[in-house]
């Protein structure tokens, strides 16, 4: 959300030399959830703003020269073989049709095994017995880290200022003599940056930096990588992203034959006593621990079991393959899964852009446009309403099947590096 905001400030005519981007790691930040091989692109209708936001994003992924190279429009197949899962997918299909924006042309219900095999020749008849699902032809995957990197290159070429490492890690916001007007930030190396507006777009780290009054709970999701031989990879080339809410999802192999497999589950929290800026005392906050700063961390043993189950279902021919990478990436959920994009109610000119709720990467091309609108006081009213400061509700569960389990109760993931 931060890089997208910087991009849209430039596209709106602000002078690049007046924009400063700060981050712990150089852009594309290796601890951002978006620092990934791929993320899903699909139209989701969970909350009111979702339709407009995902349609705008789709248009930019398809046509904007900066983003176009990173959209792999191979389709997304949302499938299930359980009675309840299939019924939910039928409802979802109907909701897409009811949105009345021409999605009857791009969403195809696959009822029979033969139809599924035609879309996914890598599957076997035996494997897809009883499966049904929705093929979204306008979906696919996004080369995530590469897309953020392209924004980074653009920002650099325009002369945007950067601060990384100690010069990009927030110590605290700076305030005017009134104590409530934010005039910049100080970073941990002691640098002071002054600005008319400060946008805090720190993803899953946001609730650790300023007190969000429990509006966001940061959670980790897991992924595994398999390496395929060129022959193996060839049979999965250009296939749609396959997603089954009861198992997980996977993507076609990357150019070097890496397949990413994820399981779908309510995420893992990591609660600790911690005092974010603005809190009067330390409180229980879910604090991310990134793979970038702890490269030997993996994921819990229970995830290994679930990922193996997902591999057996989706890629039975590869079920004995060695997993070459295991990692967690961090998102932050709000209670209602709407974003949290608003001015801080106590601190004028400090703008929060957070609350991704696990579904915001696809908005990389356009989300910054709305942050700029907020800065300029022109954000559309329904977004102001949905993204407002709104304590209360249960962000630990959010709109997922269950509350997140805590990593403290799980074994197998934590591997401190031996020096
Ligand atoms: O936009 C999408 O449907 C993809 S979300 C991918 C995902 O792994 C979630 O399925 C998961 O529950 C979590 O929110 C992280 O992102």
């Amino acid at each position: 959300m931060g890089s997208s905001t910087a991009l849209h400030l430039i596209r709106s005519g602000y002078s690049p030399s007046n924009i400063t981007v700060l981050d712990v790691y150089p852009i594309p930040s290796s601890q951002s959830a978006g620092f990934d091989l791929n993320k899903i692109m699909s139209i989701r209708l969970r909350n009111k703003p979702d339709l407009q936001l995902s349609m705008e994003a789709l248009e930019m992924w398809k046509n904007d020269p900066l983003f176009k190279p990173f959209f792999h429009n191979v389709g997304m197949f949302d499938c299930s073989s359980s009675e309840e899962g299939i019924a939910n997918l039928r409802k979802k299909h109907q909701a897409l049709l009811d949105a009345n924006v021409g999605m009857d042309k791009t969403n195809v219900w696959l009822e029979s095994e033969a139809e599924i095999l035609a879309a996914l020749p890598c599957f076997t008849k035996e494997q897809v017995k009883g499966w049904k699902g929705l093929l979204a032809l306008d979906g696919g995957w996004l080369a995530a880290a590469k897309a953020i990197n392209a924004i980074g290159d653009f920002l650099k070429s325009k002369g945007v200022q950067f601060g990384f490492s100690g010069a990009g890690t927030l110590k605290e916001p700076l305030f005017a003599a009134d104590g409530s007007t934010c005039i910049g930030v100080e970073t941990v190396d002691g640098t002071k940056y002054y600005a008319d507006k400060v946008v805090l777009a720190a993803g899953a780290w946001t609730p650790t930096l300023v007190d969000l009054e429990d509006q966001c709970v940061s959670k980790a999701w897991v992924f595994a990588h398999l390496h395929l031989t060129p022959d193996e990879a060839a049979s999965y080339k250009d296939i749609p992203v396959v997603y089954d809410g009861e198992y997980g999802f996977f993507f076609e192999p990357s150019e070097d034959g890496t397949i990413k497999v994820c399981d779908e589950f309510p995420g893992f929290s990591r609660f600790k006593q911690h005092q974010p800026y603005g809190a009067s005392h330390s409180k229980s906050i879910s604090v991310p621990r990134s793979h970038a700063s702890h490269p030997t961390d993996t994921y819990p043993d229970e995830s290994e079991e679930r990922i193996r189950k997902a591999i057996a279902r989706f890629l039975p021919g590869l079920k004995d393959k060695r997993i070459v990478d295991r990692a967690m990436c961090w998102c932050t959920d709000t209670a209602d899964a709407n974003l949290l994009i608003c001015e801080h109610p106590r601190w004028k000119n400090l703008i929060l852009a957070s609350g991704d709720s696990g579904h915001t990467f696809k908005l990389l091309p356009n989300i910054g446009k709305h942050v700029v609108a907020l800065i300029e006081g022109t954000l559309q009213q329904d977004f102001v309403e949905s993204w407002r400061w709104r304590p209360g509700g249960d962000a630990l569960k959010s709109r997922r099947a269950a509350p997140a389990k805590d990593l403290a109760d799980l074994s197998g993931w934590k591997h401190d590096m031996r020096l």
Side-chain angles (χ1 to χ4, degrees):
M1 283 198 259
S3 51
S4 182
T5 300
L7 170 70
H8 282 280
L9 283 169
I10 292 176
R11 288 191 174 181
S12 306
Y14 291 90
S15 163
S17 58
N18 286 339
I19 302 168
T20 304
V21 173
L22 304 178
D23 208 335
V24 177
Y25 289 90
I27 187 167
S29 166
S30 49
Q31 69 176 12
S32 142
F35 188 78
D36 200 351
L37 255 189
N38 41 42
K39 294 283 188 208
I40 299 175
M41 177 62 211
S42 71
I43 308 289
R44 297 287 192 200
L45 301 180
R46 204 172 29 171
N47 284 316
K48 264 207 240 122
D50 293 355
L51 177 64
Q52 181 188 330
L53 289 174
S54 36
M55 296 300 277
E56 281 174 4
L58 178 63
E59 202 279 322
M60 288 181 76
W61 285 114
K62 280 203 315 213
N63 300 315
D64 190 296
L66 183 61
F67 294 102
K68 214 172 135 110
F70 308 109
F71 180 30
H72 295 254
N73 187 193
V74 288
M76 172 172 174
F77 183 45
D78 224 331
C79 57
S80 177
S81 62
S82 78
E83 212 177 297
E84 197 192 341
I86 293 170
N88 284 336
L89 287 175
R90 285 192 201 280
K91 274 192 223 142
K92 188 181 152 187
H93 187 198
Q94 194 54 49
L96 288 168
L97 302 180
D98 293 346
N100 235 340
V101 287
M103 280 193 281
D104 49 327
K105 291 175 208 73
T106 47
N107 284 276
V108 190
W109 182 259
L110 303 186
E111 175 70 22
S112 71
E113 287 146 23
E115 285 167 328
I116 295 176
L117 293 178
L120 286 136
C122 57
F123 285 168
T124 63
K125 196 164 186 320
E126 190 51 34
Q127 184 186 355
V128 300
K129 219 165 177 193
W131 295 25
K132 296 188 193 307
L134 186 58
L135 179 64
L137 300 170
D138 51 10
W141 60 272
L142 309 163
K146 286 184 184 172
I148 304 177
N149 189 50
I151 298 185
D153 285 345
F154 174 79
L155 300 178
K156 282 178 213 154
S157 75
K158 291 287 173 192
V160 164
Q161 311 289 308
F162 289 93
F164 297 125
S165 192
T169 305
L170 183 71
K171 181 172 170 229
E172 57 187 32
L174 299 170
F175 291 97
D178 66 2
S180 64
T181 304
C182 182
I183 53 167
V185 297
E186 182 173 346
T187 48
V188 295
D189 70 343
T191 312
K192 290 181 176 166
Y193 299 88
Y194 294 94
D196 298 323
K197 303 276 179 185
V198 172
V199 178
L200 186 63
W205 275 262
T206 317
T208 72
L209 298 174
V210 299
D211 185 14
L212 295 183
E213 298 177 10
D214 303 326
Q215 289 174 99
C216 291
V217 173
S218 298
K219 301 169 192 175
W221 277 272
V222 311
F223 65 80
H225 286 165
L226 307 177
H227 271 169
L228 272 55
T229 64
D231 277 352
E232 287 168 338
S235 56
Y236 294 99
K237 191 168 163 26
D238 293 334
I239 57 156
V241 178
V242 177
Y243 178 98
D244 181 329
E246 285 154 62
Y247 288 84
F249 49 100
F250 80 101
F251 301 76
E252 69 162 310
S254 62
E255 298 112 331
D256 73 344
T258 304
I259 279 201
K260 183 177 99 176
V261 183
C262 299
D263 73 331
E264 185 58 295
F265 73 108
F268 298 131
S269 59
R270 184 169 165 268
F271 280 98
K272 288 169 68 138
Q273 284 301 309
H274 177 81
Q275 187 168 359
Y277 188 84
S280 55
H281 51 85
S282 93
K283 50 199 271 193
S284 186
I285 302 263
S286 177
V287 177
R289 171 168 151 131
S290 75
H291 202 253
S293 52
H294 298 274
T296 43
D297 279 2
T298 55
Y299 52 48
D301 294 331
E302 70 170 54
S303 300
E304 178 80 357
E305 243 178 78
R306 292 185 45 90
I307 292 233
R308 282 281 170 209
K309 238 171 111 180
I311 294 173
R313 179 165 179 89
F314 297 136
L315 308 156
L318 303 175
K319 75 176 187 342
D320 299 320
K321 271 251 165 208
R322 194 166 74 83
I323 293 178
V324 293
D325 279 316
R326 299 171 171 84
M328 298 191 269
C329 76
W330 290 84
C331 299
T332 195
D333 276 357
T334 61
D336 62 5
N338 270 309
L339 293 159
L340 180 67
I341 301 184
C342 59
E343 186 172 38
H344 192 284
R346 280 197 280 147
W347 304 322
K348 193 168 167 349
N349 294 338
L350 180 76
I351 283 121
L352 302 164
S354 186
D356 58 87
S357 301
H359 292 263
T360 305
F361 186 82
K362 62 173 164 280
L363 307 182
L364 179 71
N366 61 318
I367 194 63
K369 184 178 81 176
H370 300 290
V371 179
V372 173
L374 173 73
I375 290 172
E376 296 182 335
T378 57
L379 183 62
Q380 63 187 74
Q381 202 45 46
D382 52 337
F383 289 1
V384 171
E385 174 60 23
S386 299
W387 300 347
R388 72 193 188 285
W389 182 264
R390 49 186 194 286
D394 182 0
L396 182 62
K397 175 160 185 298
S398 184
R399 293 179 55 183
R400 302 184 184 276
K405 284 193 201 172
D406 200 86
L407 283 171
D409 304 324
L410 301 170
S411 59
W413 62 274
K414 193 175 189 175
H415 303 282
D416 282 315
M417 212 167 355
R418 278 189 216 132
L419 296 172

